[in-house]
Amino acid sequence: MPRLRDSLRRIPAFFGRLGFLKKRSVLFGAAVVLVLLLVALWPRAMEVDLATATVGELLVTVDEEGETRVRERYMVSAPAAGEIRRIELEPGDPVEAGRTVVARLRPSAPVPLDVRTRAETEAAMQAAQAALGRAQAERARAATVATRAQQRYARLRDLQDSGAIARDTMEAQQAEAQAARDAVESAEHAVEQARHELAAARARLIRQGAVAEDPAPDASDAGDIDGDDLLVFAPVDGVVLRRLRESRGVVPAGAELLEVGDARGLEIVSDLLSSEAVGVSSGDPVRIEQWGGGETLRGRVRRIEPAGFLKISALGVEEQRVNVIIDFEDPVEAREALGDAYRVEVRIVVWQKPDALKLPVGSLFREGGDWAVFVAEDGRARLRTLTLGPRNDREAEVEEGLREGEQVVLYPADDLRDGARIKPRGD
């Protein structure tokens, strides 16, 4: 019994000690949770990309694709209608002005006549034959009259010498004899005219099969030149740029045959947006890139054409474009691999400064109505507004608000704020 009473007296003390331990555990757990919350909510440094403001050359350019073309090009066309022989010259073959035969043209075969036209032509030929016979008969009659008049004049002249006839009679007979000779000459001309008219009528009846053909139509015409062939010579020294017609055939007058020019005399034509072209001036320097060579070529704007034109872009947008003509400044040897209609990329320099304080445009953003950047200072991002000068699509000139060597945040995040902790990406 005494032991039971002692045990019962110890029960309240035991539960007292349990309550104290429980209270300490709750306080310890709350402290741990608070520490974890502080660690989770403690602001961390944001990883950012940094760029440095530097002093160097800054160019403002108008960038566009361009195409090379021969400055002086000539189109060789058929000077008359006829049958062109096969053109053996290939693109790239050299030609010499006034010496190289670029094409040979021969008279074309006659056009076949329909039934009515042939009947009319045959009737015209028969009429010409009749006219020739009549002219010949008239010539014979005139010759007889002239002979008779000359004989009579000879007899009267003998009588005049003896004084048997009057002088007036003699002069009248002399005039008659001269008129008879003139009639004979006129009849001769009439005969010649009738013969030519008959020949013309016969020519209209020439059939196509009657025209002589080449012995080997598929062979080269290099040594087969008829006396009737019309030779077409190269207009300038250079090379054949394009051969527009190769095979033999009938062509009309003015048909385009070849295009020739001096491939060393190249220029570049680039079509700019009209809004960009207004900022370009004649004489602006040009950098020529992406042409296939290892180095950048130099050029200069020679002319901005006064008239624009409408062009549909690849996205289907209507654009007003203006052609800008650019001359090469490098020697021919530096660009001898380029030819006619080659693609290049041109950068027309409209503004440049050799010692501009510049930074990447990817660090800029708008703060109200001003340009601003985040400058990295002692591990924190500091908002700073800037005064900018000219800029291109990669860099901008800083006139006020930044010093050389200061670092700025590239492509700042939307949630980056002034004073936020930052660190370079990768550290």
Side-chain angles (χ1 to χ4, degrees), residues 7-18:
S7 298
L8 292 175
R9 285 195 297 266
R10 290 179 183 144
I11 290 176
F14 174 77
F15 281 104
R17 287 196 296 268
L18 285 179

Side-chain angles (χ1 to χ4, degrees), residues 69-121:
R69 69 181 184 187
V70 173
R71 183 180 299 111
E72 300 292 341
R73 58 202 309 132
Y74 295 84
M75 183 65 68
V76 180
S77 58
E83 183 180 8
I84 194 74
R85 294 176 179 268
R86 182 179 178 85
I87 298 176
E88 300 294 337
L89 291 174
E90 298 281 349
D93 287 348
V95 294
E96 187 176 351
R99 296 177 63 91
T100 304
V101 177
V102 297
R104 299 186 180 95
L105 192 70
R106 61 160 42 182
S108 58
V111 179
L113 301 177
D114 56 63
V115 176
R116 183 176 65 181
T117 304
R118 174 168 291 277
E120 292 174 349
T121 306

Side-chain angles (χ1 to χ4, degrees), residues 51-54 357-364 373 386 388 394-398 402 408:
T52 304
T54 59
L357 177 61
K358 57 185 180 178
L359 78 168
V361 295
S363 63
L364 298 170
V373 294
L386 305 177
L388 299 182
R394 293 182 294 274
E395 297 175 316
E397 182 192 19
V398 180
L402 200 65
V408 296

Side-chain angles (χ1 to χ4, degrees), residues 145-191:
V145 172
T147 301
R148 176 62 180 165
Q150 186 63 31
Q151 291 174 352
R152 185 176 180 185
Y153 171 70
R155 288 196 300 270
L156 291 179
R157 187 174 54 189
D158 293 339
L159 293 175
Q160 183 187 21
D161 293 340
S162 61
I165 61 173
R167 182 180 181 85
D168 290 343
T169 304
M170 181 61 188
E171 290 177 353
Q173 186 58 43
Q174 183 181 7
E176 184 179 347
Q178 182 61 42
R181 289 194 297 270
D182 293 342
V184 171
E185 184 176 358
S186 176
E188 290 285 353
H189 291 307
V191 170

Side-chain angles (χ1 to χ4, degrees), residues 245-258:
R245 186 178 183 90
E246 178 182 1
S247 302
R248 172 179 174 173
V250 177
V251 296
E256 297 179 346
L257 306 176
L258 292 168

Side-chain angles (χ1 to χ4, degrees), residues 33-44:
V33 172
L34 181 60
V35 170
L36 292 177
L37 286 175
L38 289 175
V39 171
L41 297 176
W42 193 263
R44 296 181 181 179

